[in-house]
Amino acid sequence: MKNIGLLPRLIIGIISGVLIGLFFPEWIGRLLYTFTHIFGNLLGYIVPLIILGFIIPGIAELGSKAGKLLAGTAGIAYLSTLGAGIVAFFISMAIVPRIIAGGTAGDPDAVGLTPFLELDIPPIMGVMTALITAFIFGLGINFLRHEKAQETLFNFMEEFRTIIVGFIKKVIIPFLPVHIAGIFADMAASGEAFQTLQVFGQVFVLIILMHLGYIIVQYSIASTRTGKNPFSAIKKMIPAYTTALGTMSSAATIPVTLRSVKSNGVSERVADFVVPLSATIHLAGSTISLVACAVAVIVLGGGSPQFFEFLPFIVMLGVTMVAAPGVPGGAVMAALGLLSSILGFTEAQQGLMIALYMAQDGFGTACNITGDGAIASFIDTFTEDTAAATEPVSAEVES
Protein backbone atom coordinates (compact mmCIF):
# COMPACT_ATOMS: atom_id res chain seq x y z
CA MET A 1 0.00 0.00 0.00
CA LYS A 2 2.94 2.34 0.67
CA ASN A 3 3.88 2.28 -3.03
CA ILE A 4 0.41 3.49 -4.02
CA GLY A 5 -0.03 7.27 -4.23
CA LEU A 6 -2.31 9.16 -1.88
CA LEU A 7 -4.96 9.94 -4.50
CA PRO A 8 -5.42 6.25 -5.53
CA ARG A 9 -5.61 5.30 -1.84
CA LEU A 10 -8.29 7.94 -1.26
CA ILE A 11 -10.27 6.61 -4.23
CA ILE A 12 -9.94 3.08 -2.85
CA GLY A 13 -11.12 4.38 0.53
CA ILE A 14 -14.19 6.05 -0.98
CA ILE A 15 -15.16 2.98 -3.01
CA SER A 16 -14.55 0.66 -0.05
CA GLY A 17 -16.62 2.87 2.23
CA VAL A 18 -19.56 2.95 -0.17
CA LEU A 19 -19.49 -0.85 -0.61
CA ILE A 20 -19.29 -1.43 3.15
CA GLY A 21 -22.15 0.97 3.81
CA LEU A 22 -24.37 -0.66 1.14
CA PHE A 23 -23.63 -4.38 1.23
CA PHE A 24 -21.70 -5.40 4.36
CA PRO A 25 -23.20 -6.27 7.76
CA GLU A 26 -23.97 -3.22 9.85
CA TRP A 27 -21.45 -4.12 12.55
CA ILE A 28 -18.59 -3.82 10.02
CA GLY A 29 -19.79 -0.36 9.02
CA ARG A 30 -20.11 0.67 12.67
CA LEU A 31 -16.59 -0.62 13.39
CA LEU A 32 -15.18 1.43 10.52
CA TYR A 33 -17.20 4.46 11.58
CA THR A 34 -15.85 4.11 15.14
CA PHE A 35 -12.35 4.62 13.76
CA THR A 36 -13.59 7.62 11.76
CA HIS A 37 -15.15 9.13 14.88
CA ILE A 38 -11.96 8.76 16.94
CA PHE A 39 -9.75 9.95 14.06
CA GLY A 40 -11.97 13.00 13.60
CA ASN A 41 -11.48 13.88 17.27
CA LEU A 42 -7.73 13.48 16.82
CA LEU A 43 -7.85 15.91 13.88
CA GLY A 44 -9.72 18.40 16.06
CA TYR A 45 -7.06 18.04 18.75
CA ILE A 46 -4.10 18.64 16.45
CA VAL A 47 -5.58 21.63 14.57
CA PRO A 48 -4.42 24.25 17.14
CA LEU A 49 -0.99 22.61 17.18
CA ILE A 50 -0.83 22.82 13.38
CA ILE A 51 -1.69 26.52 13.56
CA LEU A 52 1.05 27.16 16.12
CA GLY A 53 3.57 24.97 14.30
CA PHE A 54 2.96 26.55 10.89
CA ILE A 55 2.34 30.22 11.61
CA ILE A 56 4.86 31.03 14.37
CA PRO A 57 8.01 29.91 12.51
CA GLY A 58 6.54 31.18 9.23
CA ILE A 59 6.19 34.73 10.58
CA ALA A 60 9.49 34.49 12.46
CA GLU A 61 11.34 33.61 9.23
CA LEU A 62 10.09 36.58 7.23
CA GLY A 63 12.17 39.23 8.98
CA SER A 64 15.39 37.88 7.54
CA LYS A 65 14.37 39.05 4.07
CA ALA A 66 15.16 42.38 2.43
CA GLY A 67 12.57 44.95 3.53
CA LYS A 68 11.04 46.49 0.37
CA LEU A 69 11.34 43.33 -1.70
CA LEU A 70 9.73 41.32 1.08
CA ALA A 71 6.91 43.82 1.52
CA GLY A 72 6.21 43.96 -2.21
CA THR A 73 6.27 40.20 -2.70
CA ALA A 74 4.20 39.46 0.40
CA GLY A 75 1.67 42.17 -0.44
CA ILE A 76 1.15 41.01 -4.02
CA ALA A 77 1.04 37.35 -2.97
CA TYR A 78 -1.60 38.05 -0.34
CA LEU A 79 -3.72 40.20 -2.67
CA SER A 80 -3.52 37.42 -5.27
CA THR A 81 -4.61 34.83 -2.72
CA LEU A 82 -7.42 37.05 -1.42
CA GLY A 83 -8.64 37.85 -4.93
CA ALA A 84 -8.58 34.18 -5.89
CA GLY A 85 -10.77 33.29 -2.92
CA ILE A 86 -13.32 36.04 -3.60
CA VAL A 87 -13.57 35.18 -7.32
CA ALA A 88 -13.86 31.47 -6.49
CA PHE A 89 -16.74 32.15 -4.08
CA PHE A 90 -18.87 34.01 -6.60
CA ILE A 91 -18.18 31.54 -9.42
CA SER A 92 -18.92 28.61 -7.10
CA MET A 93 -22.15 30.20 -5.89
CA ALA A 94 -23.24 30.70 -9.51
CA ILE A 95 -22.58 27.09 -10.53
CA VAL A 96 -22.44 24.67 -7.56
CA PRO A 97 -26.11 25.07 -6.45
CA ARG A 98 -27.18 24.19 -9.99
CA ILE A 99 -24.95 21.12 -9.97
CA ILE A 100 -26.40 19.93 -6.67
CA ALA A 101 -29.99 20.75 -7.67
CA GLY A 102 -29.56 18.46 -10.67
CA GLY A 103 -28.35 15.56 -8.53
CA THR A 104 -30.27 12.69 -7.02
CA ALA A 105 -31.33 13.36 -3.46
CA GLY A 106 -30.88 10.73 -0.79
CA ASP A 107 -33.60 9.39 1.49
CA PRO A 108 -34.18 12.04 4.18
CA ASP A 109 -35.50 9.40 6.59
CA ALA A 110 -32.46 7.11 6.27
CA VAL A 111 -30.30 6.64 9.36
CA GLY A 112 -26.52 6.59 9.25
CA LEU A 113 -24.03 4.63 11.31
CA THR A 114 -23.24 5.07 14.99
CA PRO A 115 -19.83 4.34 16.53
CA PHE A 116 -19.36 1.53 19.05
CA LEU A 117 -17.26 3.86 21.19
CA GLU A 118 -17.45 7.63 21.53
CA LEU A 119 -14.12 9.11 22.59
CA ASP A 120 -13.78 12.84 23.23
CA ILE A 121 -10.30 14.34 22.69
CA PRO A 122 -10.59 18.08 23.50
CA PRO A 123 -7.92 20.36 21.99
CA ILE A 124 -5.55 22.18 24.33
CA MET A 125 -6.89 25.55 23.12
CA GLY A 126 -9.50 26.96 20.76
CA VAL A 127 -8.74 27.79 17.16
CA MET A 128 -8.96 31.57 17.55
CA THR A 129 -6.82 31.37 20.70
CA ALA A 130 -4.23 29.45 18.70
CA LEU A 131 -4.31 32.03 15.88
CA ILE A 132 -3.83 35.00 18.21
CA THR A 133 -1.11 33.16 20.13
CA ALA A 134 0.65 32.32 16.84
CA PHE A 135 0.62 35.95 15.69
CA ILE A 136 1.94 37.26 19.02
CA PHE A 137 4.72 34.69 19.32
CA GLY A 138 5.58 34.83 15.61
CA LEU A 139 6.07 38.60 15.70
CA GLY A 140 7.85 38.40 19.05
CA ILE A 141 10.30 35.74 17.90
CA ASN A 142 10.87 37.69 14.69
CA PHE A 143 11.86 40.71 16.81
CA LEU A 144 14.14 38.65 19.06
CA ARG A 145 15.90 37.09 16.08
CA HIS A 146 16.59 40.23 14.10
CA GLU A 147 16.88 42.86 16.80
CA LYS A 148 18.41 40.87 19.65
CA ALA A 149 20.08 38.06 17.68
CA GLN A 150 18.39 35.47 19.91
CA GLU A 151 17.58 32.15 18.22
CA THR A 152 16.51 29.94 21.14
CA LEU A 153 12.74 30.27 20.75
CA PHE A 154 12.98 30.17 16.95
CA ASN A 155 14.96 26.92 17.08
CA PHE A 156 12.38 25.50 19.50
CA MET A 157 9.51 26.39 17.15
CA GLU A 158 11.40 24.96 14.18
CA GLU A 159 11.72 21.66 16.04
CA PHE A 160 8.05 21.89 17.07
CA ARG A 161 7.09 22.37 13.40
CA THR A 162 9.21 19.33 12.50
CA ILE A 163 7.25 17.25 15.03
CA ILE A 164 3.90 18.43 13.65
CA VAL A 165 4.98 17.81 10.05
CA GLY A 166 6.20 14.35 11.04
CA PHE A 167 2.88 13.57 12.72
CA ILE A 168 0.98 14.65 9.61
CA LYS A 169 3.23 12.55 7.35
CA LYS A 170 3.40 9.44 9.55
CA VAL A 171 -0.07 9.36 11.12
CA ILE A 172 -2.63 11.71 9.53
CA ILE A 173 -1.85 11.12 5.83
CA PRO A 174 -1.49 7.28 6.02
CA PHE A 175 -4.81 6.87 7.86
CA LEU A 176 -6.79 9.44 5.88
CA PRO A 177 -8.12 6.84 3.38
CA VAL A 178 -9.56 4.80 6.28
CA HIS A 179 -11.09 7.95 7.76
CA ILE A 180 -12.65 8.84 4.41
CA ALA A 181 -13.90 5.25 4.01
CA GLY A 182 -15.78 5.58 7.29
CA ILE A 183 -17.38 8.85 6.21
CA PHE A 184 -18.59 7.35 2.92
CA ALA A 185 -19.78 4.19 4.64
CA ASP A 186 -21.97 6.40 6.82
CA MET A 187 -23.23 8.34 3.79
CA ALA A 188 -23.93 5.12 1.90
CA ALA A 189 -25.94 3.80 4.83
CA SER A 190 -28.00 7.01 4.86
CA GLY A 191 -28.38 7.14 1.06
CA GLU A 192 -26.26 10.25 0.44
CA ALA A 193 -23.11 8.72 -1.06
CA PHE A 194 -24.03 8.73 -4.76
CA GLN A 195 -25.29 12.30 -4.77
CA THR A 196 -22.10 13.40 -3.03
CA LEU A 197 -19.86 11.54 -5.50
CA GLN A 198 -21.78 12.99 -8.44
CA VAL A 199 -21.33 16.50 -7.07
CA PHE A 200 -17.65 15.90 -6.26
CA GLY A 201 -16.85 14.96 -9.85
CA GLN A 202 -18.39 18.11 -11.28
CA VAL A 203 -16.92 20.39 -8.62
CA PHE A 204 -13.51 18.84 -9.33
CA VAL A 205 -13.79 19.93 -12.99
CA LEU A 206 -14.99 23.40 -11.97
CA ILE A 207 -12.01 23.87 -9.63
CA ILE A 208 -9.47 22.95 -12.32
CA LEU A 209 -11.10 25.35 -14.80
CA MET A 210 -10.94 28.13 -12.21
CA HIS A 211 -7.26 27.34 -11.61
CA LEU A 212 -6.45 27.63 -15.31
CA GLY A 213 -8.50 30.79 -15.68
CA TYR A 214 -6.80 32.42 -12.72
CA ILE A 215 -3.35 31.58 -14.08
CA ILE A 216 -4.26 33.37 -17.31
CA VAL A 217 -5.52 36.38 -15.33
CA GLN A 218 -2.28 36.55 -13.30
CA TYR A 219 -0.04 36.46 -16.38
CA SER A 220 -2.27 38.93 -18.22
CA ILE A 221 -1.83 41.38 -15.33
CA ALA A 222 1.93 40.75 -15.25
CA SER A 223 2.10 41.35 -19.01
CA THR A 224 0.90 44.93 -18.49
CA ARG A 225 4.30 45.54 -16.86
CA THR A 226 6.54 43.10 -18.75
CA GLY A 227 5.06 43.60 -22.21
CA LYS A 228 5.39 39.86 -22.86
CA ASN A 229 2.73 37.60 -24.33
CA PRO A 230 1.03 35.98 -21.29
CA PHE A 231 0.50 32.67 -23.07
CA SER A 232 4.16 32.43 -24.07
CA ALA A 233 5.12 33.07 -20.45
CA ILE A 234 2.68 30.40 -19.25
CA LYS A 235 4.10 27.93 -21.77
CA LYS A 236 7.56 28.29 -20.23
CA MET A 237 6.08 27.48 -16.81
CA ILE A 238 4.69 24.11 -17.96
CA PRO A 239 7.66 22.10 -16.56
CA ALA A 240 7.00 23.59 -13.10
CA TYR A 241 3.25 23.01 -13.44
CA THR A 242 3.63 19.34 -14.35
CA THR A 243 6.24 18.76 -11.62
CA ALA A 244 3.87 20.23 -9.02
CA LEU A 245 1.11 17.90 -10.21
CA GLY A 246 3.29 14.96 -9.25
CA THR A 247 4.93 16.25 -6.07
CA MET A 248 1.85 18.06 -4.67
CA SER A 249 4.39 20.27 -2.88
CA SER A 250 5.38 23.85 -3.72
CA ALA A 251 8.60 23.43 -1.72
CA ALA A 252 9.63 20.28 -3.58
CA THR A 253 8.98 22.01 -6.92
CA ILE A 254 11.15 25.09 -6.17
CA PRO A 255 14.19 23.98 -8.25
CA VAL A 256 12.04 23.45 -11.36
CA THR A 257 10.05 26.63 -10.67
CA LEU A 258 13.28 28.63 -10.50
CA ARG A 259 14.42 27.34 -13.90
CA SER A 260 11.05 28.08 -15.47
CA VAL A 261 10.86 31.58 -13.98
CA LYS A 262 14.39 32.46 -15.13
CA SER A 263 13.56 31.18 -18.63
CA ASN A 264 10.91 33.92 -18.70
CA GLY A 265 13.66 36.52 -18.38
CA VAL A 266 13.31 37.22 -14.66
CA SER A 267 16.63 38.31 -13.13
CA GLU A 268 18.45 35.74 -11.02
CA ARG A 269 18.43 37.96 -7.95
CA VAL A 270 14.66 38.43 -8.01
CA ALA A 271 13.88 34.82 -8.93
CA ASP A 272 16.10 33.44 -6.15
CA PHE A 273 14.28 35.64 -3.64
CA VAL A 274 10.66 35.64 -4.84
CA VAL A 275 10.20 31.97 -5.79
CA PRO A 276 11.18 30.35 -2.44
CA LEU A 277 9.25 33.04 -0.52
CA SER A 278 6.14 32.73 -2.71
CA ALA A 279 6.22 28.95 -2.32
CA THR A 280 5.23 29.48 1.32
CA ILE A 281 3.00 32.57 1.17
CA HIS A 282 1.29 32.53 -2.27
CA LEU A 283 -1.54 29.99 -2.21
CA ALA A 284 -4.07 31.27 -4.72
CA GLY A 285 -4.73 27.80 -6.18
CA SER A 286 -5.20 26.25 -2.74
CA THR A 287 -7.58 29.06 -1.77
CA ILE A 288 -9.67 28.54 -4.90
CA SER A 289 -9.90 24.84 -4.08
CA LEU A 290 -10.78 25.34 -0.42
CA VAL A 291 -13.43 27.99 -1.10
CA ALA A 292 -15.10 25.97 -3.87
CA CYS A 293 -15.02 22.78 -1.79
CA ALA A 294 -16.45 24.59 1.24
CA VAL A 295 -19.30 26.06 -0.83
CA ALA A 296 -20.08 22.59 -2.23
CA VAL A 297 -20.10 20.95 1.22
CA ILE A 298 -22.37 23.64 2.68
CA VAL A 299 -24.82 23.51 -0.23
CA LEU A 300 -24.83 19.69 -0.07
CA GLY A 301 -25.87 19.99 3.57
CA GLY A 302 -28.80 22.21 2.64
CA GLY A 303 -27.12 25.48 3.60
CA SER A 304 -26.87 28.75 1.71
CA PRO A 305 -23.37 30.29 1.86
CA GLN A 306 -23.28 34.05 2.30
CA PHE A 307 -20.37 36.19 1.08
CA PHE A 308 -19.89 38.16 4.30
CA GLU A 309 -19.80 34.90 6.24
CA PHE A 310 -17.15 33.55 3.87
CA LEU A 311 -15.07 36.75 3.67
CA PRO A 312 -13.43 36.32 7.13
CA PHE A 313 -12.65 32.71 6.15
CA ILE A 314 -10.99 33.85 2.90
CA VAL A 315 -9.10 36.68 4.63
CA MET A 316 -7.73 34.33 7.30
CA LEU A 317 -6.81 31.57 4.83
CA GLY A 318 -4.05 33.69 3.33
CA VAL A 319 -2.46 33.98 6.78
CA THR A 320 -3.21 30.57 8.25
CA MET A 321 -1.66 28.69 5.35
CA VAL A 322 1.65 30.59 5.63
CA ALA A 323 4.50 28.10 5.78
CA ALA A 324 2.16 25.11 5.39
CA PRO A 325 4.58 22.21 5.09
CA GLY A 326 5.56 20.59 1.82
CA VAL A 327 3.31 17.59 2.37
CA PRO A 328 0.17 16.64 0.44
CA GLY A 329 -2.84 18.37 1.96
CA GLY A 330 -0.87 20.83 4.10
CA ALA A 331 -3.22 23.67 3.14
CA VAL A 332 -6.43 21.86 4.07
CA MET A 333 -4.88 20.72 7.36
CA ALA A 334 -4.04 24.32 8.19
CA ALA A 335 -7.57 25.39 7.19
CA LEU A 336 -9.44 22.86 9.36
CA GLY A 337 -9.54 25.25 12.30
CA LEU A 338 -11.09 28.03 10.21
CA LEU A 339 -13.63 25.63 8.75
CA SER A 340 -14.88 24.74 12.22
CA SER A 341 -14.54 28.12 13.94
CA ILE A 342 -15.76 30.44 11.15
CA LEU A 343 -17.95 28.25 8.92
CA GLY A 344 -19.14 25.87 11.66
CA PHE A 345 -18.13 22.65 9.88
CA THR A 346 -18.82 19.37 11.67
CA GLU A 347 -16.36 16.45 11.78
CA ALA A 348 -18.15 14.80 8.84
CA GLN A 349 -18.07 18.00 6.79
CA GLN A 350 -14.36 18.44 7.53
CA GLY A 351 -13.82 14.87 6.33
CA LEU A 352 -15.62 15.64 3.08
CA MET A 353 -13.46 18.74 2.68
CA ILE A 354 -10.31 16.68 3.10
CA ALA A 355 -11.48 14.10 0.54
CA LEU A 356 -12.50 16.66 -2.08
CA TYR A 357 -9.43 18.83 -1.53
CA MET A 358 -6.98 15.93 -1.60
CA ALA A 359 -8.44 14.70 -4.89
CA GLN A 360 -7.20 17.85 -6.65
CA ASP A 361 -4.30 18.83 -4.39
CA GLY A 362 -1.75 18.49 -7.19
CA PHE A 363 -3.72 20.89 -9.40
CA GLY A 364 -3.99 23.46 -6.58
CA THR A 365 -0.25 23.26 -5.97
CA ALA A 366 0.44 23.59 -9.70
CA CYS A 367 -1.71 26.74 -9.80
CA ASN A 368 0.17 28.13 -6.78
CA ILE A 369 3.65 27.72 -8.22
CA THR A 370 2.68 28.81 -11.75
CA GLY A 371 1.30 32.00 -10.23
CA ASP A 372 4.64 32.46 -8.44
CA GLY A 373 6.17 32.99 -11.88
CA ALA A 374 3.74 35.81 -12.62
CA ILE A 375 4.55 37.50 -9.31
CA ALA A 376 8.29 37.18 -9.95
CA SER A 377 7.91 38.74 -13.42
CA PHE A 378 5.82 41.58 -11.99
CA ILE A 379 8.26 42.27 -9.13
CA ASP A 380 11.23 42.11 -11.49
CA THR A 381 9.96 45.05 -13.53
CA PHE A 382 9.98 47.28 -10.44
CA THR A 383 13.48 46.22 -9.41
CA GLU A 384 14.66 46.92 -12.96
CA ASP A 385 13.15 50.41 -12.74
CA THR A 386 14.91 50.99 -9.42
CA ALA A 387 18.22 49.71 -10.76
CA ALA A 388 17.93 51.91 -13.83
CA ALA A 389 17.24 54.97 -11.69
CA THR A 390 19.96 54.37 -9.11
CA GLU A 391 22.70 52.59 -11.08
CA PRO A 392 22.61 53.86 -14.67
CA VAL A 393 26.29 53.27 -15.32
CA SER A 394 26.23 49.66 -14.11
CA ALA A 395 23.07 48.96 -16.04
CA GLU A 396 24.62 50.32 -19.22
CA VAL A 397 27.78 48.22 -18.78
CA GLU A 398 25.76 45.07 -18.14
CA SER A 399 23.66 45.62 -21.23
Side-chain angles (χ1 to χ4, degrees):
M1 250 332 239
K2 288 184 178 179
N3 295 327
I4 303 176
L6 179 59
L7 180 56
R9 283 186 283 137
L10 285 172
I11 294 173
I12 292 171
I14 291 172
I15 296 173
S16 300
V18 172
L19 293 176
I20 290 172
L22 290 176
F23 303 112
F24 281 63
E26 183 182 358
W27 70 267
I28 295 179
R30 290 187 63 192
L31 185 64
L32 178 60
Y33 191 67
T34 299
F35 172 85
T36 293
H37 169 74
I38 296 173
F39 191 84
N41 272 273
L42 180 62
L43 280 177
Y45 170 80
I46 198 174
V47 162
L49 302 181
I50 291 174
I51 291 172
L52 296 176
F54 288 6
I55 295 180
I56 293 177
I59 294 175
E61 287 172 339
L62 294 180
S64 61
K65 310 294 184 181
K68 291 184 178 180
L69 195 54
L70 167 64
T73 304
I76 293 172
Y78 183 76
L79 287 175
S80 174
T81 300
L82 183 65
I86 293 172
V87 170
F89 175 82
F90 285 109
I91 293 177
S92 299
M93 282 303 299
I95 297 175
V96 170
R98 298 180 183 180
I99 293 174
I100 293 175
T104 304
D107 182 0
D109 298 321
V111 179
L113 301 170
T114 55
F116 284 114
L117 171 68
E118 294 191 8
L119 182 63
D120 187 27
I121 311 175
I124 60 175
M125 66 178 70
V127 170
M128 292 309 298
T129 301
L131 282 170
I132 298 301
T133 302
F135 294 146
I136 292 173
F137 275 81
L139 292 171
I141 294 173
N142 189 306
F143 173 79
L144 290 176
R145 289 188 72 208
H146 305 292
E147 298 296 330
K148 304 293 185 180
Q150 296 179 10
E151 297 283 341
T152 304
L153 282 176
F154 177 73
N155 291 336
F156 171 80
M157 289 310 305
E158 279 283 274
E159 292 180 6
F160 181 73
R161 176 164 61 180
T162 301
I163 292 172
I164 297 301
V165 170
F167 187 82
I168 291 174
K169 286 183 176 180
K170 303 295 184 182
V171 178
I172 300 297
I173 298 298
F175 287 103
L176 267 180
V178 183
H179 177 57
I180 300 302
I183 291 172
F184 274 88
D186 178 54
M187 288 193 296
S190 62
E192 300 174 356
F194 291 108
Q195 180 198 18
T196 302
L197 289 172
Q198 180 185 11
V199 170
F200 273 22
Q202 295 175 76
V203 171
F204 181 88
V205 174
L206 174 63
I207 289 172
I208 295 174
L209 291 176
M210 284 195 288
H211 286 163
L212 297 176
Y214 199 69
I215 288 171
I216 294 172
V217 169
Q218 288 175 308
Y219 278 86
S220 296
I221 293 173
S223 71
T224 63
R225 287 286 304 179
T226 65
K228 297 176 182 177
N229 185 307
F231 293 99
S232 297
I234 292 172
K235 183 179 179 181
K236 292 181 180 179
M237 292 296 297
I238 289 177
Y241 185 94
T242 54
T243 302
L245 282 178
T247 63
M248 293 191 291
S249 167
S250 295
T253 312
I254 285 175
V256 182
T257 309
L258 279 170
R259 286 199 300 270
S260 297
V261 168
K262 291 174 183 178
S263 72
N264 265 327
V266 176
S267 67
E268 186 168 344
R269 181 175 71 90
V270 170
D272 289 346
F273 177 87
V274 173
V275 169
L277 177 61
S278 297
T280 63
I281 65 174
H282 181 231
L283 295 141
S286 298
T287 301
I288 289 171
S289 303
L290 287 166
V291 170
C293 293
V295 168
V297 170
I298 291 174
V299 176
L300 263 176
S304 179
Q306 302 297 317
F307 175 67
F308 288 105
E309 293 176 356
F310 255 77
L311 185 58
F313 172 71
I314 297 170
V315 169
M316 291 303 299
L317 269 181
V319 179
T320 305
M321 293 187 297
V322 166
V327 296
V332 72
M333 292 300 167
L336 287 178
L338 299 180
L339 290 169
S340 61
S341 64
I342 297 178
L343 299 182
F345 273 36
T346 63
E347 289 179 15
Q349 287 176 317
Q350 290 181 41
L352 284 177
M353 278 292 298
I354 292 171
L356 184 51
Y357 182 88
M358 290 290 197
Q360 58 70 60
D361 189 25
F363 290 94
T365 302
C367 180
N368 292 339
I369 62 94
T370 306
D372 295 347
I375 291 177
S377 297
F378 193 81
I379 291 289
D380 193 43
T381 63
F382 289 98
T383 59
E384 286 176 357
D385 290 346
T386 302
T390 58
E391 300 179 279
V393 175
S394 299
E396 187 176 318
V397 170
E398 289 174 1
S399 64

